[in-house]
Amino acid sequence: IIESEKLESEITVARDVQMGTLPKQMPVVEGYEFAGTFTPTDQTGGDLYDFVPLDENRLFLLMGDATGHGIGPALSATQVRAMLRVAIRLDSSLDDAFVHINDQLCEDLPDDRFVTGFFGLLDAETNTIRFHSGGQGPIMHYQADMGEFEWHPATTFPLGYMPQSDLQAPIVSVLEPGDLFGLISDGIYEYENEHGAQFGRQGVIRVLDENPDTGAQELVDKIMAAAREHGGTAPQADDITIVLVRRLPE
């Protein structure tokens, strides 16, 4: 009993440390609003997200998912976030940060472990997001003027899978007024109900179609609620992370 209580206490500390690395408040960038949430399957989990302001108009976006869930993946997730923060302090570019963090994880992680990761840079002056996505997808871009969804696949292999020797140019998404850019982990897309049916992209599309003028944080809450309603009595099987970037309507 004593050993069990000691282990429980250590896990609680690990959870507190991990949760402490999440953003305490949403960033402020004129013309934009942001929202994010992370719900682990266990007390700790392998997902992560972060916002790192570079100046009043530029914001670094991070979202990742380490293989598995629990304390081990939580360590990997925390490591990625810490390395990115150091890279930004050293004025690394988007490309350099992605390559160097990937290569360091190749040295650090066991062969059967990796981290899917989205590295993006929002520029509010040009209203663009330039990004690399290592195994993380689909990346959602809702184009409000046309009422259509664009889904970007991963741009390269997951972080820590193999050294990066030929990184392609980043994808560039242009955000028009009212557009929504979404980083949603597979914990949402693959959320299953009692019959094994997944929530899928259609579940996300349905929520956004039914709430076209809703703010970013409320949309995050509605997506979470819809996924849990879809799941019914089935338990949450994977960590869940949602990050939304919304360009405000003019």
Side-chain angles (χ1 to χ4, degrees):
I1 292 173
I2 292 174
E3 288 299 320
S4 178
E5 290 179 349
K6 181 180 178 181
L7 177 60
E8 183 69 22
S9 175
E10 291 175 351
I11 292 175
T12 299
V13 171
R15 176 184 174 86
D16 291 343
V17 170
Q18 182 179 28
M19 291 303 182
T21 65
L22 297 176
K24 306 296 188 296
Q25 58 188 17
M26 292 299 105
V28 177
V29 176
E30 185 175 356
Y32 286 84
E33 65 173 351
F34 307 88
T37 189
F38 165 53
T39 304
T41 306
D42 300 323
Q43 286 188 293
T44 58
D47 282 10
L48 73 148
Y49 76 94
D50 200 6
F51 302 104
V52 188
L54 302 181
D55 53 44
E56 62 181 10
N57 291 312
R58 295 184 304 145
L59 181 71
F60 208 106
L61 306 169
L62 171 68
M63 202 269 271
D65 181 1
T67 50
H69 46 82
I71 294 178
L75 292 173
S76 297
T78 305
Q79 180 184 9
V80 170
R81 187 258 186 190
M83 288 194 293
L84 174 65
R85 287 273 179 163
V86 171
I88 290 174
R89 286 180 181 270
L90 296 175
D91 294 325
S92 292
S93 66
L94 173 68
D95 293 1
D96 287 344
F98 188 91
V99 169
H100 291 314
I101 291 174
N102 171 79
D103 291 354
Q104 186 62 53
L105 289 173
C106 288
E107 295 183 18
D108 294 347
L109 296 179
D111 292 341
D112 62 342
R113 295 287 177 173
F114 54 84
V115 181
T116 63
F118 172 95
F119 287 40
L121 183 61
L122 167 68
D123 188 328
E125 287 189 335
T126 59
N127 295 302
T128 58
I129 295 180
R130 300 168 50 243
F131 66 89
H132 296 292
S133 182
Q136 184 67 51
I139 307 300
M140 183 194 77
H141 180 189
Y142 172 67
Q143 299 167 319
D145 59 338
M146 297 181 290
E148 296 180 354
F149 289 82
E150 183 177 13
W151 302 91
H152 296 283
T155 60
T156 186
F157 47 79
L159 298 165
Y161 182 74
M162 62 183 295
Q164 183 65 257
S165 59
D166 186 27
L167 185 66
Q168 302 298 309
I171 301 295
V172 180
S173 286
V174 179
L175 301 185
E176 302 294 343
D179 280 12
L180 193 70
F181 195 83
L183 312 175
I184 303 174
S185 70
D186 53 8
I188 284 290
Y189 293 123
E190 297 176 4
Y191 206 123
E192 294 186 352
N193 61 16
E194 305 95 324
H195 309 292
Q198 295 185 348
F199 186 66
R201 297 186 194 182
Q202 289 303 316
V204 174
I205 291 172
R206 185 165 57 252
V207 172
L208 298 186
D209 283 345
E210 293 173 355
N211 302 275
D213 301 316
T214 303
Q217 186 57 57
E218 189 175 353
L219 282 175
V220 166
D221 296 339
K222 287 183 178 295
I223 292 171
M224 285 289 295
R228 295 196 184 283
E229 182 180 358
H230 167 82
T233 60
Q236 178 182 330
D238 198 1
D239 301 326
I240 290 174
T241 300
I242 305 174
V243 174
L244 297 183
V245 178
R246 181 172 180 255
R247 183 179 176 190
L248 297 175
E250 292 181 345

